[in-house]
Amino acid sequence: HRLTIGLTGGIGSGKSAVAALLAALGAGVLDADAIAHELTAPGGAAIAAIQQAFGAEMITPAGALDRDRMRAAVFADPAKRCALESILHPRIGQAMRERAARTAGPYLVLVIPLLVENLPRWRSAVDRIAVVDCPESQQIARVMRRSGLDAAQVRAIMATQATREARRRAADDLIDNSADLAALQKRTRDLHAGYLRMAG
Ligand code: ATP
């Protein structure tokens, strides 16, 4: 691909919505979260390393990562979060490199939720950084509506992520998602047109 976009944004900002719109317009899209799920499904390529680092109690009888247990463990302990990320991120990066070659499209979009948090790791993998942005109050409302978490729980997750300001500073392309989905669709169409031009 002549052009690779790193698409990111805070929880509930609208990354998946933008990725789906770009995919529908023909862009090649690879999603770090989807790859992380595959890596930690039964037989997944990260299971052995997770078991070694965290113990067999983190693996379900079916052989998958016990997501609830891991979420609780890393939430309470930054060192554990770091250990998990050091297992997952290199493998996600490798899978993305392998799949990029097999992904059709005039340009490639890598959806990376924690791109700004891990900028040194991802900087060289992408040509541009696109950030989906909306006020934090909207992130909270959207996540609450989707998940059943309460506002304090969403805020606690947001506190583990980069600040809105840090993401905005890292952005080459800022995608405002503070209005309705029709407005997001229009912005995404314009962005796609620009990426097609850049990809030549
Ligand atoms: P996460 O980081 O949690 O995966 P995300 O950044 O991928 O979230 P989405 O899943 O795209 O965000 O959006 C979060 C929720 O908000 C979804 O239910 C989505 O349908 C809704 N949503 C996104 N954008 C808008 C909008 N402009 N207006 C109303 N609802 C929206």
Side-chain angles (χ1 to χ4, degrees), residues 4-55:
T4 300
I5 307 298
L7 177 65
T8 193
I11 182 171
S13 58
K15 293 179 294 294
S16 306
V18 172
L21 290 166
L22 290 174
L25 292 167
V29 176
L30 294 172
D31 183 330
D33 265 357
I35 292 172
H37 267 81
E38 289 176 35
L39 291 170
T40 55
I47 292 295
I50 291 171
Q51 180 163 338
Q52 183 153 27
F54 290 87

Side-chain angles (χ1 to χ4, degrees), residues 10-17 33 142 145-146 177 179-181 184:
I11 182 171
S13 58
K15 293 179 294 294
S16 306
D33 265 357
R142 286 172 187 164
R145 202 174 314 130
R146 183 187 57 188
N177 188 23
D180 60 12
L181 286 168
L184 184 66

